């Protein structure tokens, strides 16, 4: 693969990253059974031929642009961790070193043997691919492993990939007539972003976040998880259908409510301002479905007022209406458009996007990602209980985690696997204790269960 420039959103994620807040995502797969290490390596090698960015590093060239540069490796780094690790990944998510995307690449795989089998941890910088891209790549690895072990479904084939689509992953510009249609709504959005104070999750100043950026985190990654059983999950999914909104809407409503209650309990509640959730938005359409692992994603900001949170009877419907307006007026393109102008203006003065980002004033209360069934759709043999089989391995559980960033040091993720709703919190261990992270996620779960 020849070098390719980073798309503007990839450059933003690269430059918004720091020592304390590396913009890294994690996907952990818990297997029971025996792993054939050589066949797994062969499967990863095969996937690298279809997803070239996973064997690339990043380099800044003389034109002040950042590029994906092939590392020369046949497959990304695979690290074997010696010893026997706990099987309970909920309580003991493994610690690993941050990536060095400028030297060793932006994608790494860790292998941990447990008392019951193997944990396979995928660690990747968000600049290399989004959630949909990572799923496509991991699905290729798992299916190839199943094919090599003779355990793939009959007539199973790898999904098509078109490397040429990597050249258009940054083409997210606003069509002119859509821009005119969305203009006044976008102006309102801009005014709100500039003028309204955001209620932070924790009681600390932005200066404290920025002070920490130069130092590595004390624990990496700091993640805690809770899982609803299949019956609880089914009831909650049904409640979402009856609420007048989507599952994402009710998850957001419950999270905002939980945060306000938790802040009051901790004595850090503040009136005034808005509560803001950073919502990742997948912008893929049918045209991009064959794109290899990469980014075709943006982010929108959902703002709610305390009075809306306290109106519990109508809160889910209010969130649903706001999300519909965000989609109607194409606000998923807003951040990419702002970043594109920022990069353009920065280059006029001989700099890069870091000049535009240096104020570090993009603040949100929290980030909630809803991955849905994204990591529950593998082309493998599926057992009646929802587990997947490949060779001598049975996939028992999946955990994923989005990154955290300065000014948004806590993020949540919801996903479904084998009919169970899985909730994950990722947090800054130097601002929020392990006990505090467990407490907020337990409170979130308790709020959900109290409605069933």
């Amino acid at each position: 693969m020849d070098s390719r420039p980073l798309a503007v959103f990839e450059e933003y994620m690269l430059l918004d990253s720091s020592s304390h807040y590396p913009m890294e995502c994690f996907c952990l797969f818990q297997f029971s059974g025996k792993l054939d290490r050589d066949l797994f390596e062969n499967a990863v090698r095969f996937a690298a031929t279809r997803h070239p960015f996973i064997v690339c590093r990043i380099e800044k060239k003389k034109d002040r642009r950042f590029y994906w540069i092939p590392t020369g490796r046949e497959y990304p780094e695979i690290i074997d961790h010696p010893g026997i690790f706990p099987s309970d990944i909920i309580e003991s998510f493994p610690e690993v070193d941050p990536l060095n995307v400028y030297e060793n690449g932006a994608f790494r795989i860790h292998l941990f043997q447990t008392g019951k089998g193997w944990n396979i941890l995928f660690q990747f910088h968000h600049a290399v691919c989004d959630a949909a891209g990572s799923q496509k790549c991991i699905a290729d690895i798992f299916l190839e492993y199943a094919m090599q072990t003779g355990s793939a479904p009959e007539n199973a084939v790898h999904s098509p990939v078109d490397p040429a689509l990597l050249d258009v992953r940054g083409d997210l510009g606003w069509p002119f007539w859509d821009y005119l249609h969305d203009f006044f709504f976008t102006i309102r959005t801009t005014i709100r972003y500039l003028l309204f104070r955001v209620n932070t999750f924790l009681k600390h100043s932005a200066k404290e976040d920025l002070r920490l950026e130069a130092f590595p985190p004390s624990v990496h990654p700091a993640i805690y998880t809770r899982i609803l059983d299949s019956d609880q999950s089914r009831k909650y999914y049904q409640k979402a259908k009856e609420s007048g909104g989507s599952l994402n809407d009710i998850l957001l409503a419950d999270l905002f409510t939980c945060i306000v209650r938790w802040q009051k309990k901790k004595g850090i509640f503040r009136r005034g301002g808005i509560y803001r959730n950073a919502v990742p938005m997948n912008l893929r359409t049918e045209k991009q479905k064959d794109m290899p692992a990469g980014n075709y994603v943006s982010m929108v900001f959902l703002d709610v007022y305390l009075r809306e949170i306290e109106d519990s009877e109508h809160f889910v419907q209010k969130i649903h209406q706001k999300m519909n307006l965000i989609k109607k007026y194409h606000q998923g393109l807003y951040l990419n458009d702002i970043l594109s102008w920022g990069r353009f203006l920065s280059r006029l003065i001989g700099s890069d996007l870091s000049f535009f980002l240096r104020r570090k004033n993009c603040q949100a209360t929290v980030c909630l990602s809803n991955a849905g069934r994204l990591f529950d759709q593998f082309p493998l043999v599926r057992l009646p209980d929802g587990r997947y089989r490949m060779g001598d391995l049975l996939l028992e559980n999946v955990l994923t985690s989005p990154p955290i960033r300065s000014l948004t040091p806590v993020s949540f993720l919801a996903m479904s696997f084998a009919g169970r709703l899985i909730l994950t919190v990722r947090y800054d261990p130097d601002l929020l204790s392990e006990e505090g992270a467990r407490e907020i996620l337990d409170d979130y779960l308790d709020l959900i269960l109290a409605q069933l």
Side-chain angles (χ1 to χ4, degrees):
M1 184 195 87
D2 296 331
S3 64
R4 283 186 170 96
L6 270 68
V8 66
F9 199 75
E10 295 169 350
E11 188 172 330
Y12 153 70
M13 290 187 286
L14 172 69
L15 296 175
D16 198 48
S17 187
S18 66
S19 295
H20 197 78
Y21 299 104
M23 190 74 74
E24 295 178 6
C25 303
F26 293 88
C27 299
L28 198 154
F29 297 83
Q30 183 184 42
F31 292 92
S32 59
K34 184 179 179 181
L35 174 73
D36 188 313
R37 175 65 170 75
D38 292 336
L39 292 185
F40 181 77
E41 184 178 301
N42 289 338
V44 176
R45 181 183 288 106
F46 169 81
T49 65
R50 291 164 54 85
H51 305 278
F53 282 176
I54 71 172
V55 283
C56 284
R57 59 180 179 85
I58 295 174
E59 180 179 305
K60 186 178 182 180
K61 295 193 174 182
K62 293 181 179 179
D63 61 0
R64 300 188 299 277
R65 296 193 68 178
F66 293 88
Y67 288 82
W68 291 111
I69 306 294
T71 61
R73 294 195 183 112
E74 292 185 343
Y75 55 86
E77 185 179 18
I78 302 176
I79 299 179
D80 296 272
H81 293 262
I84 303 298
F85 282 74
S87 298
D88 189 353
I89 55 178
I90 296 173
E91 298 292 339
S92 56
F93 203 96
E95 293 184 42
V96 296
D97 294 329
L99 298 163
N100 185 337
V101 298
Y102 296 101
E103 294 185 6
N104 301 323
F107 197 98
R108 182 188 291 160
I109 301 173
H110 303 264
L111 300 179
F112 302 88
Q113 190 170 6
T114 70
K116 299 179 180 179
W118 291 83
N119 289 344
I120 301 178
L121 175 65
F122 294 87
Q123 175 189 12
F124 55 95
H125 197 285
H126 206 332
V128 78
C129 62
D130 53 26
S134 66
Q135 191 277 342
K136 196 175 185 71
C137 175
I138 293 170
D140 273 345
I141 294 173
F142 288 172
L143 179 56
E144 183 64 18
Y145 183 88
M147 287 178 169
Q148 292 185 33
T149 57
S151 59
E154 188 177 357
N155 300 322
V157 294
H158 289 279
S159 60
V161 293
D162 182 0
L165 290 173
L166 292 174
D167 295 324
V168 299
R169 70 193 187 286
D171 296 346
L172 295 169
W174 234 317
F176 180 72
W177 292 112
D178 284 346
Y179 186 83
L180 292 181
H181 173 264
D182 305 337
F183 181 76
F184 290 106
F185 188 87
T186 302
I187 291 296
R188 286 176 52 197
T189 299
T190 304
I191 292 173
R192 189 173 69 249
Y193 290 166
L194 292 176
L195 299 183
F196 283 57
R197 177 178 64 83
V198 175
N199 277 317
T200 55
F201 189 96
L202 303 171
K203 189 177 181 180
H204 69 287
S205 67
K207 289 182 179 180
E208 189 171 359
D209 268 9
L210 301 179
R211 177 184 59 81
L212 288 170
E213 283 196 327
F215 305 96
S218 56
V219 178
H220 179 70
I223 297 172
Y224 179 55
T225 298
R226 293 295 301 273
I227 301 177
L228 280 70
D229 64 36
S230 55
D231 185 57
Q232 292 168 337
S233 302
R234 179 184 55 79
K235 290 178 180 178
Y236 192 62
Y237 298 151
Q238 183 60 35
K239 179 175 175 57
K241 292 180 181 179
E242 297 169 354
S243 68
S246 66
L247 176 62
N248 195 59
D249 297 330
I250 193 172
L251 284 166
L252 283 166
D254 288 341
L255 181 57
F256 279 125
T257 302
C258 178
I259 290 172
V260 171
R261 292 181 181 180
W262 187 80
Q263 289 178 333
K264 289 180 177 179
K265 181 171 63 173
K266 295 297 181 182
I268 59 174
F269 172 73
R270 300 170 299 280
R271 286 197 172 272
I274 57 175
Y275 287 85
R276 173 171 294 165
N277 181 66
V279 185
M281 180 167 284
N282 181 11
L283 299 179
R284 281 173 171 78
T285 66
E286 187 66 19
K287 293 180 180 179
Q288 293 87 33
K289 67 180 180 64
D290 294 340
M291 179 184 290
N295 278 286
Y296 209 83
V297 68
S298 185
M299 184 173 290
V300 297
F301 301 103
L302 174 69
D303 293 344
V304 297
Y305 300 95
L306 179 62
R307 65 177 182 272
E308 294 173 329
I309 299 174
E310 292 175 338
D311 182 12
S312 57
E313 183 178 353
H314 304 103
F315 189 32
V316 174
Q317 291 86 347
K318 190 69 177 179
I319 287 179
H320 188 67
Q321 292 168 7
K322 291 188 177 192
M323 289 302 299
N324 280 344
L325 286 173
I326 285 171
K327 295 172 184 176
K328 177 181 178 181
Y329 291 103
H330 306 97
Q331 296 303 286
L333 300 174
Y334 177 86
L335 182 57
N336 290 70
D337 202 52
I338 292 294
L339 292 171
S340 295
W341 278 106
R343 184 164 69 174
F344 173 74
L345 295 173
S346 297
R347 285 179 182 157
L348 288 181
I349 61 172
S351 185
D352 54 42
L353 191 57
S354 59
F355 175 83
F356 183 72
L357 298 173
R358 77 185 194 283
R359 289 183 61 195
K360 295 285 185 181
N361 59 353
C362 182
Q363 196 164 27
T365 309
V366 70
C367 175
L368 171 65
S369 305
N370 178 16
R373 296 185 61 247
L374 182 65
F375 292 95
D376 197 13
Q377 303 179 75
F378 291 113
L380 304 171
V381 171
R382 188 156 200 175
L383 304 182
D385 59 6
R387 295 181 299 170
Y388 289 98
R389 182 170 69 86
M390 55 183 210
D392 294 328
L393 295 172
L394 285 179
L395 180 55
E396 306 279 356
N397 222 338
V398 180
L399 299 181
T400 63
S401 170
I404 53 175
R405 59 183 298 276
S406 61
L407 308 183
T408 314
V410 181
S411 64
F412 291 79
L413 185 136
M415 61 170 291
S416 177
F417 178 75
R420 295 167 296 156
L421 179 64
I422 302 173
L423 302 173
T424 299
V425 61
R426 173 121 175 244
Y427 60 98
D428 181 347
D430 299 295
L431 291 176
L432 180 65
S433 68
E434 180 181 351
E435 293 74 20
R438 290 169 181 263
E439 183 180 18
I440 184 62
L441 190 58
D442 289 346
D443 286 355
Y444 189 23
L445 182 67
D446 291 342
L447 178 61
I448 289 173
L449 295 178
Q451 305 172 56
L452 305 183

